[in-house]
Each structure stands twice: as structure tokens, then as C-alpha cells.
Amino acid sequence: MSTGAQVSYCVDMDKSVILGNIEKRGWVPVGPDDDWQFYWASTQTCRNLFSVDSGYRMNDFQMINHFPNHYELTRKDTMVKNIKRYRRDLEREGNPLAEKSQEGRYLYLDFIPTTFILPADYNMFVEEYRKNPNSTWIMKPCGKSQGAGIFLINKLSKLKKWSRESRTVFNPNLNKETYVISRYIDNPLLLGGKKFDLRLYVLVTSFRPMKVYFYKLGFCRFCTVKYDDSAREMDNLFVHLTNVAIQKQGVEYNTVHGGKLSIENLKLFLEMSRGKAATDKLFNEINWLIVHSLKSVAPVMVSDRHCYECYGYDIIIDNDLKPWLIEVNASPSLSSTTLADRILKYRLINDLMNIVLPPDGVPDVKWNKTPSPDQLGHFVLLLDEELAAMNDQKSKKQKQ
């Protein structure tokens, strides 16, 4: 909707779904050194802007699309560190959320695969590996995206060989790159014999108090080759990695549907094949996983009121319908591989802007980012700690 307000904007990426939404609103483009009101920026631009050296101070009329230290959740190593710390802290407090089974697994907070950070946790990883030497693990460089540098291992010798060749693990001074190594989910839920993951969008408008919106139009991303967990297919990325950047290079890639299926269609399939109760339980667990991953970083996040963030959550469902958080992206891809993709992402940005901007469409940090229900579009409110606290107080008064 065009408000007629002359909002000045700045964008440092050429994405049609962003520019289309901005142009529809009749905004005016300005440079990064001008008095912009709305900035859709890359994570690098945000880092530069928020750095101590820049000395930049934002005004009440300015909004930007990343929190200063978003990487606490979106770097593979810091996400794991924060979730592990969160679980330990709850355990120390005696919080029932941190309860464990007899085997030592968390009953409610077991939503990331067993993961170690290399080179720091190398000895701990070896100890865990030796408990189950037939297991498969997946190695990922922390500073890369779109599936770059990822590989699977099922023998310690393969890791040692890689270490010698890359000179990473045992001599970290020669190569500062950090890796995470996670137990591979080797019993993924398959559709048509193929592995897939979920890409879900989550909008956070504040970390303290936490306010989180979930986007209903997520999708599944499929591998182009049928799943095969045998050793001979271990190096075949088309079997194991769902990243579109990798899959679209395959000869089997379908440019019409882009190897994607809507979450709504996945739900329908699961309700027919596994039943409604099991499907509802799965999606409740996904909501739970999102909320607690965000709570794990809330204490360390700089909750700047000029900021909001649209995270891209990557989740794998195993054959027992248990969801596993694989990673969270700070800049989920806004490129479109299909027409349906472009429509979805255009709607995502439109709905997001209707939440983060006041009803008059002019950026203002005093806006509490609580739009009327008809302005939510395809977002649903997942958590509002402020609202929850008010409701708690209300119910206490009623009991008195």
C-alpha cells in the first residue's frame, strides 16, 4: 500500500522482491550517507554501521533489518555454543525444562544433533565417535553458506586425512576457519524416496522483551537424487544436501517447481500418511524449537530498537517425525528460482514491512510493532513476552 509518505530508503542488494515492495509504497531512494529512514542491508553493511569505529548513531526515524550481533544465532558455532549454554544454565537453576532421560539426553531441549566445534572440541568429538564408530558425521565450515565446503565422514581416518591436507584441525594457527561437526541425521523423513529440509521464516522485532512472528508460507527443499546412506554415495552432495545452490547444478533439477513443496502441502501429506495428531505434534515441536533457540541467544543479543530480523530456519524432520534444527540464516535467500518462489518472497517482504512499520508506513522506533490482525498477512504471533506478562498479572488479580 502506498501511504503517500516520502520515506527515504537505502538498499545495498539488487533483489526484485525488496525493490518491488518499496516502489509500491512510493518511497524515495537515497545513498547510505544521506538521511535514510529504512535500510535493507547486507550483514556486512550492518557490521560496519554498528562497529565502534563508525561512530554512527541512529535517529528515531531509522530502521534497519539486522541486529548488531545477529551472528550469535546465525553462525553455526555460536548457535551451538549458545544453545548448549542455555541448557546448562537451566539445568543449574533446576528448571524442569532441562530435565534429562536416563540415557542423559534432554527430554525437552534435544533439538540440535550432537555437535562439536573444531578444532577446540576435537578430543571430545573423538571420545563421542568411539562410542559409536559406525556413525556418520557431517562437517561444515562456520563462515560459509549455500552448502560450500560441507562433507560427510564415517571414519576417523577420513577426518585426519582432511586435517593433514587442509592443515586446519591440528594447527589452527595456520588456518583460522572454524568447523562444526554434527551427528548426521541418517534416518530422514523421505518423500518420493528423497531427502528434504524445511525453510521457515521467523521475524523477531525485539529480543527483550521477546516478540516473535512465524511465517506460514514456508517450504520444503528437496534433493534431486533419491536418498542412499551407503558408503558409495557418501560424497554425492545431490543425495545429502538440500541447499538450492547445490541442487540446481544437478541434471535432475526441475526448473518448474524448483525442487520445492509448500509447508501446507507437506502438512496435508503427513496428515494423510501419519495422522493429524502426529502432524500437529510435529509442528508444535517446531514452534517450541524456534522459541527456545531464540531464548538461548536473548541474553547476549544487543536488542536495538532500530532493528528487526527475518531469520531463515533450516529444519530436518527424521522418520520418527522429530524436528532437528540444522542452522539459522541471517540473510535467507531472496532470489527466486520459480514464479511461485518470487510470489512467496514478495509476500514475505510485504507482510514483514506491514509489521515493522507503523500504520502510517513511516519508520518510527517508538512503534511497538504490534499490528492489527488484518495487517499480519501470513505471519502469526508466536511469542510476545510483554503480552504474556500482562496476561499473567491480569489472571493473578482475578484470582485475588
Side-chain angles (χ1 to χ4, degrees), residues 8-37:
S8 54
Y9 75 91
C10 200
V11 176
D12 70 357
M13 56 187 80
D14 184 21
K15 299 292 180 195
S16 64
V17 295
I18 300 169
L19 294 170
N21 271 293
I22 284 171
E23 283 160 13
K24 181 183 71 167
R25 286 169 165 79
W27 291 0
V28 183
V30 296
D33 298 324
D34 298 319
D35 274 343
W36 53 266
Q37 290 166 271

PDB file of all heavy atoms in Angstrom, residues 8-37:
ATOM      1  N   SER A   8      12.439   7.858   2.821  1.00  0.00           N
ATOM      2  CA  SER A   8      13.703   7.667   2.094  1.00  0.00           C
ATOM      3  C   SER A   8      14.285   6.311   2.466  1.00  0.00           C
ATOM      4  O   SER A   8      14.331   5.947   3.639  1.00  0.00           O
ATOM      5  CB  SER A   8      14.687   8.789   2.434  1.00  0.00           C
ATOM      6  OG  SER A   8      14.862   8.887   3.832  1.00  0.00           O
ATOM      7  N   TYR A   9      14.716   5.584   1.450  1.00  0.00           N
ATOM      8  CA  TYR A   9      15.219   4.237   1.711  1.00  0.00           C
ATOM      9  C   TYR A   9      16.592   4.035   1.079  1.00  0.00           C
ATOM     10  O   TYR A   9      16.990   4.745   0.152  1.00  0.00           O
ATOM     11  CB  TYR A   9      14.244   3.183   1.176  1.00  0.00           C
ATOM     12  CG  TYR A   9      14.267   3.031  -0.334  1.00  0.00           C
ATOM     13  CD1 TYR A   9      15.128   2.104  -0.955  1.00  0.00           C
ATOM     14  CD2 TYR A   9      13.454   3.810  -1.153  1.00  0.00           C
ATOM     15  CE1 TYR A   9      15.158   1.971  -2.331  1.00  0.00           C
ATOM     16  CE2 TYR A   9      13.484   3.683  -2.527  1.00  0.00           C
ATOM     17  CZ  TYR A   9      14.338   2.760  -3.118  1.00  0.00           C
ATOM     18  OH  TYR A   9      14.377   2.631  -4.480  1.00  0.00           O
ATOM     19  N   CYS A  10      17.260   3.023   1.594  1.00  0.00           N
ATOM     20  CA  CYS A  10      18.574   2.643   1.079  1.00  0.00           C
ATOM     21  C   CYS A  10      18.601   1.117   0.996  1.00  0.00           C
ATOM     22  O   CYS A  10      18.120   0.437   1.906  1.00  0.00           O
ATOM     23  CB  CYS A  10      19.628   3.137   2.064  1.00  0.00           C
ATOM     24  SG  CYS A  10      21.240   3.279   1.353  1.00  0.00           S
ATOM     25  N   VAL A  11      19.101   0.579  -0.100  1.00  0.00           N
ATOM     26  CA  VAL A  11      19.196  -0.877  -0.279  1.00  0.00           C
ATOM     27  C   VAL A  11      20.571  -1.173  -0.848  1.00  0.00           C
ATOM     28  O   VAL A  11      21.011  -0.493  -1.768  1.00  0.00           O
ATOM     29  CB  VAL A  11      18.108  -1.393  -1.252  1.00  0.00           C
ATOM     30  CG1 VAL A  11      18.276  -2.871  -1.517  1.00  0.00           C
ATOM     31  CG2 VAL A  11      16.718  -1.152  -0.705  1.00  0.00           C
ATOM     32  N   ASP A  12      21.255  -2.173  -0.284  1.00  0.00           N
ATOM     33  CA  ASP A  12      22.587  -2.478  -0.846  1.00  0.00           C
ATOM     34  C   ASP A  12      22.616  -3.833  -1.556  1.00  0.00           C
ATOM     35  O   ASP A  12      23.647  -4.460  -1.688  1.00  0.00           O
ATOM     36  CB  ASP A  12      23.684  -2.366   0.214  1.00  0.00           C
ATOM     37  CG  ASP A  12      23.619  -3.462   1.263  1.00  0.00           C
ATOM     38  OD1 ASP A  12      22.681  -4.284   1.185  1.00  0.00           O
ATOM     39  OD2 ASP A  12      24.487  -3.500   2.146  1.00  0.00           O
ATOM     40  N   MET A  13      21.419  -4.299  -1.978  1.00  0.00           N
ATOM     41  CA  MET A  13      21.367  -5.545  -2.757  1.00  0.00           C
ATOM     42  C   MET A  13      20.274  -5.416  -3.811  1.00  0.00           C
ATOM     43  O   MET A  13      19.239  -4.790  -3.561  1.00  0.00           O
ATOM     44  CB  MET A  13      21.134  -6.751  -1.847  1.00  0.00           C
ATOM     45  CG  MET A  13      19.915  -6.680  -0.981  1.00  0.00           C
ATOM     46  SD  MET A  13      19.827  -8.043   0.191  1.00  0.00           S
ATOM     47  CE  MET A  13      20.952  -7.482   1.441  1.00  0.00           C
ATOM     48  N   ASP A  14      20.520  -5.984  -4.953  1.00  0.00           N
ATOM     49  CA  ASP A  14      19.588  -5.845  -6.070  1.00  0.00           C
ATOM     50  C   ASP A  14      18.612  -7.021  -6.071  1.00  0.00           C
ATOM     51  O   ASP A  14      18.783  -7.988  -6.801  1.00  0.00           O
ATOM     52  CB  ASP A  14      20.393  -5.786  -7.384  1.00  0.00           C
ATOM     53  CG  ASP A  14      19.476  -5.541  -8.575  1.00  0.00           C
ATOM     54  OD1 ASP A  14      18.363  -5.031  -8.351  1.00  0.00           O
ATOM     55  OD2 ASP A  14      19.867  -5.871  -9.703  1.00  0.00           O
ATOM     56  N   LYS A  15      17.609  -6.948  -5.219  1.00  0.00           N
ATOM     57  CA  LYS A  15      16.621  -8.013  -5.127  1.00  0.00           C
ATOM     58  C   LYS A  15      15.254  -7.469  -5.499  1.00  0.00           C
ATOM     59  O   LYS A  15      14.730  -6.557  -4.844  1.00  0.00           O
ATOM     60  CB  LYS A  15      16.566  -8.591  -3.692  1.00  0.00           C
ATOM     61  CG  LYS A  15      17.867  -9.212  -3.222  1.00  0.00           C
ATOM     62  CD  LYS A  15      18.196 -10.467  -3.997  1.00  0.00           C
ATOM     63  CE  LYS A  15      19.510 -11.088  -3.524  1.00  0.00           C
ATOM     64  NZ  LYS A  15      20.029 -12.074  -4.435  1.00  0.00           N
ATOM     65  N   SER A  16      14.650  -8.052  -6.532  1.00  0.00           N
ATOM     66  CA  SER A  16      13.393  -7.505  -7.060  1.00  0.00           C
ATOM     67  C   SER A  16      12.265  -7.556  -6.033  1.00  0.00           C
ATOM     68  O   SER A  16      11.395  -6.687  -6.020  1.00  0.00           O
ATOM     69  CB  SER A  16      12.988  -8.251  -8.327  1.00  0.00           C
ATOM     70  OG  SER A  16      12.708  -9.611  -8.033  1.00  0.00           O
ATOM     71  N   VAL A  17      12.265  -8.576  -5.136  1.00  0.00           N
ATOM     72  CA  VAL A  17      11.158  -8.674  -4.169  1.00  0.00           C
ATOM     73  C   VAL A  17      11.213  -7.543  -3.143  1.00  0.00           C
ATOM     74  O   VAL A  17      10.182  -7.126  -2.618  1.00  0.00           O
ATOM     75  CB  VAL A  17      11.111 -10.056  -3.461  1.00  0.00           C
ATOM     76  CG1 VAL A  17      10.799 -11.158  -4.456  1.00  0.00           C
ATOM     77  CG2 VAL A  17      12.382 -10.355  -2.689  1.00  0.00           C
ATOM     78  N   ILE A  18      12.416  -7.038  -2.849  1.00  0.00           N
ATOM     79  CA  ILE A  18      12.542  -5.898  -1.924  1.00  0.00           C
ATOM     80  C   ILE A  18      12.191  -4.612  -2.657  1.00  0.00           C
ATOM     81  O   ILE A  18      11.351  -3.821  -2.208  1.00  0.00           O
ATOM     82  CB  ILE A  18      13.978  -5.801  -1.356  1.00  0.00           C
ATOM     83  CG1 ILE A  18      14.345  -7.077  -0.595  1.00  0.00           C
ATOM     84  CG2 ILE A  18      14.114  -4.595  -0.426  1.00  0.00           C
ATOM     85  CD1 ILE A  18      15.805  -7.174  -0.226  1.00  0.00           C
ATOM     86  N   LEU A  19      12.830  -4.413  -3.815  1.00  0.00           N
ATOM     87  CA  LEU A  19      12.620  -3.174  -4.569  1.00  0.00           C
ATOM     88  C   LEU A  19      11.161  -3.033  -5.011  1.00  0.00           C
ATOM     89  O   LEU A  19      10.607  -1.933  -4.981  1.00  0.00           O
ATOM     90  CB  LEU A  19      13.563  -3.136  -5.773  1.00  0.00           C
ATOM     91  CG  LEU A  19      15.056  -3.043  -5.409  1.00  0.00           C
ATOM     92  CD1 LEU A  19      15.926  -3.258  -6.639  1.00  0.00           C
ATOM     93  CD2 LEU A  19      15.381  -1.706  -4.753  1.00  0.00           C
ATOM     94  N   GLY A  20      10.528  -4.150  -5.378  1.00  0.00           N
ATOM     95  CA  GLY A  20       9.118  -4.112  -5.793  1.00  0.00           C
ATOM     96  C   GLY A  20       8.223  -3.607  -4.678  1.00  0.00           C
ATOM     97  O   GLY A  20       7.315  -2.793  -4.894  1.00  0.00           O
ATOM     98  N   ASN A  21       8.463  -4.094  -3.453  1.00  0.00           N
ATOM     99  CA  ASN A  21       7.663  -3.666  -2.301  1.00  0.00           C
ATOM    100  C   ASN A  21       7.899  -2.200  -1.959  1.00  0.00           C
ATOM    101  O   ASN A  21       6.977  -1.485  -1.571  1.00  0.00           O
ATOM    102  CB  ASN A  21       7.984  -4.548  -1.085  1.00  0.00           C
ATOM    103  CG  ASN A  21       7.105  -5.785  -1.023  1.00  0.00           C
ATOM    104  OD1 ASN A  21       5.910  -5.690  -0.825  1.00  0.00           O
ATOM    105  ND2 ASN A  21       7.712  -6.945  -1.228  1.00  0.00           N
ATOM    106  N   ILE A  22       9.136  -1.763  -2.097  1.00  0.00           N
ATOM    107  CA  ILE A  22       9.480  -0.373  -1.790  1.00  0.00           C
ATOM    108  C   ILE A  22       8.865   0.573  -2.824  1.00  0.00           C
ATOM    109  O   ILE A  22       8.272   1.598  -2.477  1.00  0.00           O
ATOM    110  CB  ILE A  22      11.021  -0.223  -1.715  1.00  0.00           C
ATOM    111  CG1 ILE A  22      11.531  -0.821  -0.386  1.00  0.00           C
ATOM    112  CG2 ILE A  22      11.447   1.234  -1.851  1.00  0.00           C
ATOM    113  CD1 ILE A  22      13.040  -0.924  -0.270  1.00  0.00           C
ATOM    114  N   GLU A  23       8.986   0.182  -4.097  1.00  0.00           N
ATOM    115  CA  GLU A  23       8.443   1.031  -5.168  1.00  0.00           C
ATOM    116  C   GLU A  23       6.926   1.156  -5.065  1.00  0.00           C
ATOM    117  O   GLU A  23       6.346   2.210  -5.308  1.00  0.00           O
ATOM    118  CB  GLU A  23       8.862   0.476  -6.536  1.00  0.00           C
ATOM    119  CG  GLU A  23      10.316   0.804  -6.878  1.00  0.00           C
ATOM    120  CD  GLU A  23      10.908  -0.114  -7.952  1.00  0.00           C
ATOM    121  OE1 GLU A  23      10.126  -0.836  -8.611  1.00  0.00           O
ATOM    122  OE2 GLU A  23      12.144  -0.103  -8.106  1.00  0.00           O
ATOM    123  N   LYS A  24       6.274   0.048  -4.648  1.00  0.00           N
ATOM    124  CA  LYS A  24       4.816   0.051  -4.472  1.00  0.00           C
ATOM    125  C   LYS A  24       4.402   1.091  -3.425  1.00  0.00           C
ATOM    126  O   LYS A  24       3.325   1.678  -3.503  1.00  0.00           O
ATOM    127  CB  LYS A  24       4.376  -1.357  -4.027  1.00  0.00           C
ATOM    128  CG  LYS A  24       2.877  -1.511  -3.820  1.00  0.00           C
ATOM    129  CD  LYS A  24       2.531  -2.894  -3.319  1.00  0.00           C
ATOM    130  CE  LYS A  24       2.969  -3.109  -1.881  1.00  0.00           C
ATOM    131  NZ  LYS A  24       2.373  -4.326  -1.287  1.00  0.00           N
ATOM    132  N   ARG A  25       5.281   1.322  -2.478  1.00  0.00           N
ATOM    133  CA  ARG A  25       4.980   2.286  -1.410  1.00  0.00           C
ATOM    134  C   ARG A  25       5.347   3.725  -1.793  1.00  0.00           C
ATOM    135  O   ARG A  25       5.127   4.643  -1.021  1.00  0.00           O
ATOM    136  CB  ARG A  25       5.735   1.870  -0.131  1.00  0.00           C
ATOM    137  CG  ARG A  25       5.108   0.663   0.545  1.00  0.00           C
ATOM    138  CD  ARG A  25       6.010   0.094   1.646  1.00  0.00           C
ATOM    139  NE  ARG A  25       5.283  -0.819   2.515  1.00  0.00           N
ATOM    140  CZ  ARG A  25       4.985  -2.076   2.236  1.00  0.00           C
ATOM    141  NH1 ARG A  25       5.356  -2.584   1.068  1.00  0.00           N
ATOM    142  NH2 ARG A  25       4.316  -2.830   3.080  1.00  0.00           N
ATOM    143  N   GLY A  26       5.954   3.869  -2.966  1.00  0.00           N
ATOM    144  CA  GLY A  26       6.271   5.216  -3.442  1.00  0.00           C
ATOM    145  C   GLY A  26       7.406   5.887  -2.678  1.00  0.00           C
ATOM    146  O   GLY A  26       7.439   7.124  -2.562  1.00  0.00           O
ATOM    147  N   TRP A  27       8.334   5.103  -2.170  1.00  0.00           N
ATOM    148  CA  TRP A  27       9.443   5.674  -1.404  1.00  0.00           C
ATOM    149  C   TRP A  27      10.523   6.255  -2.325  1.00  0.00           C
ATOM    150  O   TRP A  27      10.539   5.992  -3.529  1.00  0.00           O
ATOM    151  CB  TRP A  27      10.061   4.603  -0.505  1.00  0.00           C
ATOM    152  CG  TRP A  27       9.165   4.174   0.628  1.00  0.00           C
ATOM    153  CD1 TRP A  27       7.905   4.643   0.902  1.00  0.00           C
ATOM    154  CD2 TRP A  27       9.461   3.190   1.617  1.00  0.00           C
ATOM    155  NE1 TRP A  27       7.393   4.007   2.012  1.00  0.00           N
ATOM    156  CE2 TRP A  27       8.329   3.106   2.479  1.00  0.00           C
ATOM    157  CE3 TRP A  27      10.548   2.367   1.887  1.00  0.00           C
ATOM    158  CZ2 TRP A  27       8.269   2.248   3.563  1.00  0.00           C
ATOM    159  CZ3 TRP A  27      10.486   1.509   2.969  1.00  0.00           C
ATOM    160  CH2 TRP A  27       9.368   1.452   3.803  1.00  0.00           C
ATOM    161  N   VAL A  28      11.439   6.985  -1.711  1.00  0.00           N
ATOM    162  CA  VAL A  28      12.471   7.697  -2.473  1.00  0.00           C
ATOM    163  C   VAL A  28      13.854   7.119  -2.161  1.00  0.00           C
ATOM    164  O   VAL A  28      14.233   7.021  -0.987  1.00  0.00           O
ATOM    165  CB  VAL A  28      12.463   9.203  -2.093  1.00  0.00           C
ATOM    166  CG1 VAL A  28      13.484   9.967  -2.928  1.00  0.00           C
ATOM    167  CG2 VAL A  28      11.077   9.783  -2.252  1.00  0.00           C
ATOM    168  N   PRO A  29      14.620   6.732  -3.206  1.00  0.00           N
ATOM    169  CA  PRO A  29      15.956   6.187  -2.932  1.00  0.00           C
ATOM    170  C   PRO A  29      16.970   7.273  -2.551  1.00  0.00           C
ATOM    171  O   PRO A  29      16.950   8.363  -3.119  1.00  0.00           O
ATOM    172  CB  PRO A  29      16.346   5.541  -4.268  1.00  0.00           C
ATOM    173  CG  PRO A  29      15.556   6.285  -5.306  1.00  0.00           C
ATOM    174  CD  PRO A  29      14.304   6.740  -4.641  1.00  0.00           C
ATOM    175  N   VAL A  30      17.806   6.964  -1.551  1.00  0.00           N
ATOM    176  CA  VAL A  30      18.903   7.873  -1.167  1.00  0.00           C
ATOM    177  C   VAL A  30      20.164   7.035  -0.959  1.00  0.00           C
ATOM    178  O   VAL A  30      20.108   5.804  -0.915  1.00  0.00           O
ATOM    179  CB  VAL A  30      18.584   8.666   0.135  1.00  0.00           C
ATOM    180  CG1 VAL A  30      17.401   9.597  -0.066  1.00  0.00           C
ATOM    181  CG2 VAL A  30      18.333   7.714   1.316  1.00  0.00           C
ATOM    182  N   GLY A  31      21.298   7.677  -0.792  1.00  0.00           N
ATOM    183  CA  GLY A  31      22.559   6.979  -0.558  1.00  0.00           C
ATOM    184  C   GLY A  31      22.757   6.668   0.917  1.00  0.00           C
ATOM    185  O   GLY A  31      22.087   7.254   1.773  1.00  0.00           O
ATOM    186  N   PRO A  32      23.695   5.757   1.237  1.00  0.00           N
ATOM    187  CA  PRO A  32      23.932   5.371   2.633  1.00  0.00           C
ATOM    188  C   PRO A  32      24.427   6.517   3.514  1.00  0.00           C
ATOM    189  O   PRO A  32      24.278   6.478   4.739  1.00  0.00           O
ATOM    190  CB  PRO A  32      24.997   4.265   2.529  1.00  0.00           C
ATOM    191  CG  PRO A  32      25.570   4.384   1.152  1.00  0.00           C
ATOM    192  CD  PRO A  32      24.525   4.997   0.293  1.00  0.00           C
ATOM    193  N   ASP A  33      24.985   7.569   2.899  1.00  0.00           N
ATOM    194  CA  ASP A  33      25.466   8.706   3.689  1.00  0.00           C
ATOM    195  C   ASP A  33      24.392   9.781   3.860  1.00  0.00           C
ATOM    196  O   ASP A  33      24.618  10.792   4.538  1.00  0.00           O
ATOM    197  CB  ASP A  33      26.718   9.322   3.036  1.00  0.00           C
ATOM    198  CG  ASP A  33      27.872   8.319   2.975  1.00  0.00           C
ATOM    199  OD1 ASP A  33      27.988   7.518   3.934  1.00  0.00           O
ATOM    200  OD2 ASP A  33      28.625   8.314   1.985  1.00  0.00           O
ATOM    201  N   ASP A  34      23.242   9.579   3.212  1.00  0.00           N
ATOM    202  CA  ASP A  34      22.140  10.549   3.352  1.00  0.00           C
ATOM    203  C   ASP A  34      21.270  10.176   4.553  1.00  0.00           C
ATOM    204  O   ASP A  34      21.503   9.173   5.216  1.00  0.00           O
ATOM    205  CB  ASP A  34      21.292  10.555   2.071  1.00  0.00           C
ATOM    206  CG  ASP A  34      22.109  10.988   0.854  1.00  0.00           C
ATOM    207  OD1 ASP A  34      22.900  11.924   1.000  1.00  0.00           O
ATOM    208  OD2 ASP A  34      21.952  10.365  -0.222  1.00  0.00           O
ATOM    209  N   ASP A  35      20.226  10.983   4.785  1.00  0.00           N
ATOM    210  CA  ASP A  35      19.316  10.713   5.908  1.00  0.00           C
ATOM    211  C   ASP A  35      18.268   9.670   5.514  1.00  0.00           C
ATOM    212  O   ASP A  35      17.104   9.980   5.282  1.00  0.00           O
ATOM    213  CB  ASP A  35      18.617  12.001   6.358  1.00  0.00           C
ATOM    214  CG  ASP A  35      19.463  12.764   7.351  1.00  0.00           C
ATOM    215  OD1 ASP A  35      20.390  12.153   7.913  1.00  0.00           O
ATOM    216  OD2 ASP A  35      19.210  13.964   7.549  1.00  0.00           O
ATOM    217  N   TRP A  36      18.686   8.408   5.423  1.00  0.00           N
ATOM    218  CA  TRP A  36      17.740   7.336   5.095  1.00  0.00           C
ATOM    219  C   TRP A  36      16.855   7.029   6.299  1.00  0.00           C
ATOM    220  O   TRP A  36      17.265   7.218   7.442  1.00  0.00           O
ATOM    221  CB  TRP A  36      18.479   6.078   4.629  1.00  0.00           C
ATOM    222  CG  TRP A  36      19.556   5.599   5.578  1.00  0.00           C
ATOM    223  CD1 TRP A  36      20.880   5.906   5.530  1.00  0.00           C
ATOM    224  CD2 TRP A  36      19.387   4.754   6.719  1.00  0.00           C
ATOM    225  NE1 TRP A  36      21.567   5.307   6.568  1.00  0.00           N
ATOM    226  CE2 TRP A  36      20.669   4.583   7.314  1.00  0.00           C
ATOM    227  CE3 TRP A  36      18.293   4.115   7.310  1.00  0.00           C
ATOM    228  CZ2 TRP A  36      20.885   3.817   8.460  1.00  0.00           C
ATOM    229  CZ3 TRP A  36      18.503   3.350   8.460  1.00  0.00           C
ATOM    230  CH2 TRP A  36      19.785   3.205   9.011  1.00  0.00           C
ATOM    231  N   GLN A  37      15.658   6.508   6.014  1.00  0.00           N
ATOM    232  CA  GLN A  37      14.743   6.104   7.091  1.00  0.00           C
ATOM    233  C   GLN A  37      14.624   4.586   7.191  1.00  0.00           C
ATOM    234  O   GLN A  37      14.395   4.049   8.270  1.00  0.00           O
ATOM    235  CB  GLN A  37      13.350   6.715   6.847  1.00  0.00           C
ATOM    236  CG  GLN A  37      13.306   8.221   7.035  1.00  0.00           C
ATOM    237  CD  GLN A  37      12.031   8.808   6.455  1.00  0.00           C
ATOM    238  OE1 GLN A  37      11.987   9.167   5.296  1.00  0.00           O
ATOM    239  NE2 GLN A  37      10.979   8.902   7.261  1.00  0.00           N
TER     240      GLN A  37
END
